[in-house]
């Protein structure tokens, strides 16, 4: 019997109508505290994205779209020209919050397009912006469900599956990408044994993925990142599924730092490595992964993780937040329109390009 799923608190939501605001779970406090914060101004949204209170590529895009509505509210009394300038300024500001996940720029672009094409009064334009943000939010829910349906077909009952970082409901509107595959497998009556890498340095795997899987009654075992090779050698893992932050036209995929290493290990152990991501995560303007901007975060995330100093004062530390897994290491990319396999530029173009994204 499929496990009955608990109704989780939404990762983020819009509260009220055109004069409403954004409410989101502060993910920096998980798993010990489930606390929501209210965003009434653009800087609070900006700070929430930058400091990973809301994180994960699709969730960042949705939060930013609502952030544009909040910026537009501030210009609700202005003339239409000034209103459009305010929307664009807000989008410019939010675009500076994080550089790697393309969903952020994709969502901001959709919001800009709405503002630039309005030929009505400011109040109606504001309502149109809110509907666009809500459409981005709802489409994400549908995309995640579809990813789950396609992805679960690739896994068999009883398998061990490794995942890295958090590509679950917390990283999207409600169901996730990589974790959607596990949730859908569970709904199809399959029992999977998930190995969650803790995901240094910010521990999204330990803090968020294990929490989400536990909440949904899925068997999960936490391992340190450095244990993946041994766990694979012991034959505990039959597949790897991760999310993505940006996928270039040739299939090279940026995801949380450490993903590339997991893909190499999977190849060495002949374990299929899958990426699960919606079409909004593809950036067909980039030929390959070398062009994907990689966020570098503060060294203190390594030297003073969670407020405790763990390295000598003054030591140099390098902290790239993402890496790029080359397409040839990826068995398939699971998106809401199907599974791209083998991962080639032609197959990606055929599935992703037609709808224009
Ligand atoms: O730095 P984060 O926590 O935003 O990084 C998130 C990831 O790398 C996720 O795996 C990715 O965004 C996919 S989310 C469905």
């Amino acid at each position: 019997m499929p496990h009955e799923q608990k109704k989780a608190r939404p990762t983020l939501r819009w509260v009220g109508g055109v004069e409403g605001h954004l409410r989101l779970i502060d993910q920096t406090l998980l798993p010990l505290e489930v606390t929501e914060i209210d965003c009434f101004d653009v800087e609070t949204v900006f700070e929430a994205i930058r400091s990973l209170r809301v994180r994960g590529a699709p969730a960042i895009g949705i939060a930013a779209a609502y952030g544009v509505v909040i910026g537009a509210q501030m210009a609700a009394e202005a003339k239409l020209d000034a209103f459009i300038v305010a929307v664009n300024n807000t989008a410019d500001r939010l675009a500076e919050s994080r550089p790697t996940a393309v969903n952020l720029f994709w969502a901001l672009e959709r919001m800009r397009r709405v503002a630039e094409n309005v030929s009505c009064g400011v109040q109606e334009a504001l309502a149109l912006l809110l509907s666009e943000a809500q459409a981005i939010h709802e489409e994400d829910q549908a995309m995640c469900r579809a990813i789950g349906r396609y992805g679960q077909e690739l896994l068999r009952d009883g398998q061990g599956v490794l995942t890295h970082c958090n590509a679950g409901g917390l990283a999207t509107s409600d169901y996730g990408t990589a974790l959607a595959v596990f949730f859908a497998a569970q709904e199809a009556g399959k029992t999977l044994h998930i190995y969650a890498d803790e995901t240094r340095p910010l521990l999204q795997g330990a803090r968020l993925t294990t929490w989400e899987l536990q909440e949904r009654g899925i068997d999960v075992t936490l391992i340190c990142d450095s244990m993946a090779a041994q766990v694979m050698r012991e034959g505990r893992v039959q597949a790897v599924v991760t999310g993505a932050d940006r996928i270039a036209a040739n299939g090279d995929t940026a995801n949380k730092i450490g993903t590339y290493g997991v893909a190499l290990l999977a190849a060495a152990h002949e374990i299929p490595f899958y990426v699960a991501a919606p079409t909004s995560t593809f950036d067909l303007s980039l030929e390959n992964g070398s062009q994907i901007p990689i966020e570098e975060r503060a060294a203190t995330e390594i030297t003073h993780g969670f407020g405790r100093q763990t390295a000598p004062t003054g030591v140099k530390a390098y902290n790239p937040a993402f890496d790029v897994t080359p397409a040839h290491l990826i068995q398939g990319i699971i998106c809401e329109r199907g599974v791209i396999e083998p991962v080639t530029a032609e197959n990606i173009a055929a599935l992703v390009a037609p709808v224009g994204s």
Side-chain angles (χ1 to χ4, degrees):
M1 273 293 283
H3 183 273
E4 200 180 317
Q5 307 229 325
K6 280 191 196 170
K7 179 85 192 86
R9 199 186 294 218
T11 303
L12 74 181
R13 64 187 134 145
W14 184 256
V15 180
V18 282
E19 288 170 2
H21 67 278
L22 175 63
R23 178 170 292 164
L24 46 89
I25 295 180
D26 182 348
Q27 298 187 32
T28 62
L29 303 177
L30 287 171
L32 298 182
E33 247 183 74
V34 187
T35 301
E36 291 178 311
I37 55 168
D38 288 312
C39 306
F40 294 101
D41 56 60
V42 174
E43 283 312 301
T44 307
V45 179
F46 179 91
E47 193 279 335
I49 295 174
R50 171 155 285 183
S51 60
L52 275 60
R53 299 186 199 287
V54 59
R55 32 70 49 206
I60 293 171
I62 300 163
Y66 284 128
V68 171
V69 179
I70 294 170
Q73 286 171 338
M74 305 301 158
E77 303 302 324
K79 294 221 162 51
L80 188 58
D81 283 358
F83 177 84
I84 295 171
V85 169
V87 167
N88 280 320
N89 288 345
T90 305
D92 289 347
R93 173 68 179 147
L94 292 170
E96 289 169 0
S97 57
R98 294 192 75 189
T100 303
V102 77
N103 308 60
L104 171 67
F105 309 100
W106 169 86
L108 291 174
E109 193 47 43
R110 278 183 63 164
M111 299 302 285
R112 284 186 210 268
R113 246 182 277 145
V114 170
E116 276 154 20
N117 289 320
V118 291
S119 53
C120 52
V122 163
Q123 281 306 321
E124 288 144 283
L126 187 55
L128 286 175
L129 285 169
L130 178 58
S131 330
E132 186 69 359
Q134 285 168 331
I136 291 170
H137 192 165
E138 281 158 26
E139 285 166 26
D140 182 70
Q141 292 173 5
M143 289 195 280
C144 289
R145 297 277 159 174
I147 287 170
R149 280 196 297 278
Y150 284 115
Q152 73 85 13
E153 286 170 20
L154 303 168
L155 302 178
R156 290 194 306 281
D157 187 33
Q159 283 187 323
V161 186
L162 186 135
T163 191
H164 189 75
C165 194
N166 171 267
L170 289 165
T172 61
S173 51
D174 84 328
Y175 199 63
T177 55
L179 298 200
V181 174
F182 309 154
F183 299 147
Q186 180 192 47
E187 285 159 20
K190 296 176 191 173
T191 299
L192 300 176
H193 307 287
I194 309 301
Y195 288 88
D197 279 348
E198 64 176 352
T199 316
R200 289 269 301 146
L202 295 182
L203 306 185
Q204 288 93 331
R207 295 187 300 107
L208 310 176
T209 294
T210 58
W211 182 76
E212 275 196 51
L213 293 173
Q214 274 190 341
E215 287 273 299
R216 303 234 192 190
I218 293 181
D219 179 69
V220 58
T221 302
L222 175 64
I223 59 170
C224 299
D225 298 348
S226 51
M227 295 168 186
Q230 179 64 15
V231 168
M232 287 183 186
R233 174 177 269 172
E234 288 172 4
R236 295 172 189 268
V237 172
Q238 284 71 51
V240 176
V241 187
T242 74
D245 285 84
R246 195 184 294 223
I247 303 173
N250 72 341
D252 291 352
T253 295
N255 192 50
K256 179 52 56 194
I257 191 75
T259 305
Y260 173 38
V262 173
L264 287 167
L265 293 176
H269 292 87
E270 296 181 355
I271 295 167
F273 177 95
Y274 293 101
V275 168
T279 45
S280 52
T281 301
F282 286 79
D283 183 351
L284 300 187
S285 73
L286 304 184
E287 211 178 306
N288 62 60
S290 68
Q291 296 158 316
I292 299 177
I294 300 294
E295 178 179 12
E296 191 178 332
R297 293 187 64 86
T300 48
E301 288 183 354
I302 305 178
T303 58
H304 295 68
F306 302 96
R308 178 164 174 264
Q309 184 169 349
T310 53
T313 302
V315 72
K316 280 195 287 180
Y318 174 51
N319 186 16
F322 298 93
D323 58 25
V324 175
T325 298
H328 70 88
L329 293 176
I330 304 171
Q331 177 77 30
I333 302 178
I334 307 155
C335 75
E336 78 278 11
R337 297 181 195 157
V339 180
I340 299 166
E341 184 177 353
V343 179
T344 61
E346 294 69 33
N347 287 347
I348 290 172
L351 206 71
V352 177
V355 187
S357 299

